[in-house]
């Protein structure tokens, strides 16, 4: 059993909203208590689609980190950093690119999907094709075991697993492994050595498990082998490789149930968001303006909560008693829509109050945030450098 390590990244897309909070950040806040966590700003990933407007990236990076902190991500528990401040990600991306078949990248569903969705942009670029490979490097460089992501990102984690497996297969051997194994085999004496090598061939070429078992048993019985030699020979029998990179698992983040102000999914592109820094006045204003059941034109018309986006907010924020009050009051025209909205407004104001406060504190003192990130980058970089030493060595690039 080896230690778990959680890693996730987010592209800097500007001020975060309640959809991000209920979908992603609440989960990060929970995970930071349970595992060592690394969370980073994927600024290079933002450039793959926004290479023509790099000026939007810097402001967004800081605003996003402030929003993470505001939401309760705790820099004394989790490591927070910026991707481009750990240039080792780029080195690993380059080295992985050498052996990554083009077809693997072309087949990733987001490649075609995003090109179609963002058709106003030219995404027939080298960088965009490499998007998921850069993500693989992000993950593998920390030997992360768990990657919390949404459904759409699962193919990227699958690709990462394949990339790790291929890397270990190609490079996961100690230098001179073969020679050392043969040297060890000689200690068996020529007759037994020949038999072991034959059995190995039968297993590796024909998948003959019984041959493998027989060879293993023979090595087990041999007295004059050192532990290291026996291990080497066991590895040699199976064609085992040393694991340099760790295969991660996707930790599926449940889709946010947070509806936008119009009942569609909350998203910046629909302009239906409540940002994490929304003032109480604005929260009230925006929710009071929300559309309700279109059949409920007059106060005296009964309504149907199922046809009303405000009801979806009650589903997130209200307890059973309050939900019963809405159902009953709406269907009987016993309550007005503004009345119905009041408890939701209160709940959102209450939820966002501590976040607004923390965001204000960090915005007023940018050095605070810069220090948190500098510290996180340093910690992240140490892990990344350790992995890169192993990677370079296994690829014959250490020149020591
Ligand atoms: N592609 C991810 C997204 O759009 C962001 C990301 C980049 C990421 N690198 C990562 C997520 C590594 C998890 C792990 O959401
Ligand atoms: Fe929607 Fe509430 Fe008005 Fe019913 S009473 S239509 S649930 S806002």
């Amino acid at each position: 059993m080896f230690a778990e390590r959680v890693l996730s990244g987010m592209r800097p897309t500007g001020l975060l909203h309640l959809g991000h909070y209920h979908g992603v950040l609440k989960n990060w806040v929970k995970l930071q208590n349970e595992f060592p966590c690394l969370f980073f700003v994927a600024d290079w990933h933002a450039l793959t689609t926004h290479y023509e407007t790099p000026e939007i990236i810097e402001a967004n990076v800081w605003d996003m980190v402030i929003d993470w902190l505001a939401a309760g991500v705790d820099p004394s528990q989790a490591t927070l950093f910026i991707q481009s401040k750990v240039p080792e990600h780029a080195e690993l991306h380059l080295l992985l690119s050498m052996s990554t078949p083009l077809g693997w990248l072309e087949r990733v569903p987001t490649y075609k999907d995003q090109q179609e969705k963002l058709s106003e942009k030219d995404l027939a670029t080298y960088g965009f094709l490499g998007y998921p490979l850069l993500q693989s490097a992000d993950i593998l460089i920390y030997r992360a075991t768990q990657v919390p992501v949404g459904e759409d990102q699962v193919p990227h984690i699958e690709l990462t697993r394949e990339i790790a497996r291929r890397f270990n297969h190609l490079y996961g051997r100690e230098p001179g492994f073969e020679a050392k194994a043969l040297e060890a085999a000689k200690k068996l004496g020529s007759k037994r050595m020949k038999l072991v090598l034959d059995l190995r061939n039968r297993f590796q070429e024909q998948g003959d498990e019984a041959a493998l078992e027989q060879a293993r048993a023979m090595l087990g019985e041999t007295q004059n082998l050192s532990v290291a030699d026996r291990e080497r020979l066991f590895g040699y029998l199976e064609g085992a490789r040393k694991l340099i990179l760790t295969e991660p698992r996707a930790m599926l983040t449940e889709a946010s149930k947070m509806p936008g102000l119009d009942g569609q999914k909350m998203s910046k592109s629909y302009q239906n968001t409540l940002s994490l820094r929304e003032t109480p006045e604005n929260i009230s204003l925006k929710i009071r303006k929300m559309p309700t059941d279109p059949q409920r034109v007059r106060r005296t018309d009964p309504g149907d909560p199922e046809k009303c986006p405000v009801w979806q907010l009650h589903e997130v924020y209200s307890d059973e008693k309050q939900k019963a009050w809405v159902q009953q009051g709406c269907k009987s025209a016993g309550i007005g829509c503004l009345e119905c909205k009041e408890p939701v407004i209160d709940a959102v104001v209450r939820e966002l109050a501590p976040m607004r406060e923390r965001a204000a504190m960090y915005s007023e003192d940018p050095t605070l945030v810069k220090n948190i990130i500098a510290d996180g980058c340093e910690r992240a970089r140490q892990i990344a450098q350790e992995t890169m030493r192993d990677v370079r060595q296994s690829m014959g690039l250490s020149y020591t």
Side-chain angles (χ1 to χ4, degrees):
M1 199 34 215
F2 54 99
E4 303 281 355
R5 183 179 281 152
V6 171
L7 170 118
S8 201
M10 210 188 274
R11 279 170 299 154
T13 47
L15 287 183
L16 300 185
H17 52 65
L18 268 175
H20 295 113
Y21 178 67
H22 285 275
V24 180
L25 294 173
K26 229 167 44 177
N27 188 38
W28 284 12
V29 170
K30 178 168 88 63
L31 288 170
Q32 72 186 359
N33 294 309
E34 300 168 2
F35 303 103
C37 289
L38 296 140
F39 300 125
F40 73 98
V41 184
D43 56 344
W44 280 336
H45 276 105
L47 275 178
T48 64
T49 50
H50 289 71
Y51 56 89
E52 288 183 307
T53 50
E55 63 282 358
I56 62 165
I57 289 176
E58 181 161 17
N60 282 346
V61 166
W62 296 117
D63 272 337
M64 196 167 79
V65 174
I66 289 174
D67 282 346
W68 291 358
L69 296 165
V73 177
D74 176 359
S76 71
Q77 301 195 76
T79 301
L80 310 183
F81 66 99
I82 298 171
Q83 183 184 38
S84 66
K85 292 273 182 197
V86 186
E88 284 79 5
H89 289 227
E91 185 184 356
L92 184 57
H93 177 219
L94 175 88
L95 294 178
L96 294 174
S97 79
M98 303 300 170
S99 56
T100 301
L102 272 180
W104 289 15
L105 297 175
E106 286 160 348
R107 274 196 297 274
V108 172
T110 45
Y111 180 56
K112 289 258 150 51
D113 289 356
Q114 292 292 99
Q115 279 187 343
E116 279 164 25
K117 212 166 139 206
L118 304 174
S119 57
E120 75 283 2
K121 292 185 177 145
D122 179 6
L123 295 181
T125 57
Y126 180 51
F128 188 68
L129 178 67
Y131 183 111
L133 188 64
L134 179 58
Q135 185 164 351
S136 297
D138 297 337
I139 297 167
L140 296 173
I141 205 160
Y142 300 103
R143 295 177 162 124
T145 56
Q146 309 264 15
V147 186
V149 284
E151 184 98 60
D152 63 314
Q153 295 289 308
V154 171
H156 294 180
I157 311 304
E158 280 307 313
L159 174 79
T160 304
R161 293 170 63 84
E162 279 167 40
I163 298 279
R165 230 174 285 147
R166 183 163 166 84
F167 187 93
N168 290 332
H169 173 74
L170 288 170
Y171 308 113
R173 294 176 149 200
E174 62 175 311
F177 175 80
E178 199 115 343
K180 281 186 197 156
L182 284 171
E183 209 43 54
K186 281 191 193 144
K187 295 179 188 157
L188 298 170
S190 63
K191 211 173 115 201
R192 276 191 301 171
M193 169 167 157
K194 184 173 177 309
L195 186 53
V196 165
L197 295 184
D198 282 348
L199 290 167
R200 172 180 182 265
N201 279 346
R202 266 174 39 206
F203 171 65
Q204 291 197 0
E205 282 165 21
Q206 299 151 36
D208 183 344
E209 299 275 346
L212 175 65
E213 273 316 303
Q214 197 187 336
R216 274 209 193 113
M218 278 182 64
L219 293 179
E221 287 159 11
T222 307
Q223 302 290 330
N224 62 333
L225 281 178
S226 69
V227 175
D229 276 345
R230 183 171 294 131
E231 278 305 302
R232 231 169 240 136
L233 283 170
F234 277 140
Y236 187 62
L237 284 179
E238 293 171 45
R241 300 296 194 276
K242 209 163 65 174
L243 298 183
I244 297 170
L245 299 177
T246 304
E247 284 182 46
R249 274 164 294 144
M251 191 185 232
L252 201 61
T253 309
E254 240 184 275
S256 162
K257 293 196 181 65
M258 190 67 207
L261 293 165
D262 54 1
Q264 299 187 79
K265 182 182 161 208
M266 188 178 279
S267 159
K268 202 171 75 174
S269 45
Y270 300 149
Q271 301 192 353
N272 61 359
T273 63
L274 286 167
S275 93
L276 298 188
R277 305 190 206 174
E278 211 77 65
T279 61
E281 297 72 44
N282 258 338
I283 295 169
S284 177
L285 214 64
K286 283 187 170 181
I287 295 180
R288 289 162 76 93
K289 275 203 301 216
M290 275 179 75
T292 59
D293 175 1
Q295 306 287 312
R296 210 177 170 199
V297 185
R298 279 175 300 263
R299 167 70 178 76
T300 48
D301 296 335
D304 179 0
E306 293 307 321
K307 300 195 177 106
C308 176
V310 179
W311 169 247
Q312 294 180 52
L313 287 176
H314 277 289
E315 296 249 66
V316 175
Y317 290 105
S318 297
D319 60 16
E320 290 311 315
K321 190 164 155 245
Q322 194 150 62
K323 284 197 270 190
W325 171 77
V326 174
Q327 287 286 344
Q328 211 275 327
C330 179
K331 288 176 181 163
S332 65
I335 58 170
C337 289
L338 284 177
E339 203 179 343
C340 178
K341 289 170 174 180
E342 281 309 321
V344 184
I345 294 172
D346 290 346
V348 175
V349 169
R350 228 177 300 123
E351 179 170 58
L352 291 187
M355 295 194 219
R356 240 168 67 77
E357 212 170 285
R358 274 194 292 260
M361 174 183 85
Y362 287 113
S363 306
E364 277 159 28
D365 190 354
T367 52
L368 212 57
V369 183
K370 299 224 157 128
N371 286 340
I372 288 169
I373 289 296
D375 184 53
C377 288
E378 200 176 299
R379 275 188 279 164
R381 204 157 180 211
Q382 246 160 36
I383 308 174
Q385 286 179 339
E386 215 172 280
T387 306
M388 285 315 296
R389 267 198 296 278
D390 293 348
V391 165
R392 286 189 212 108
Q393 194 194 28
S394 69
M395 295 181 80
L397 297 167
S398 57
Y399 308 110
T400 46

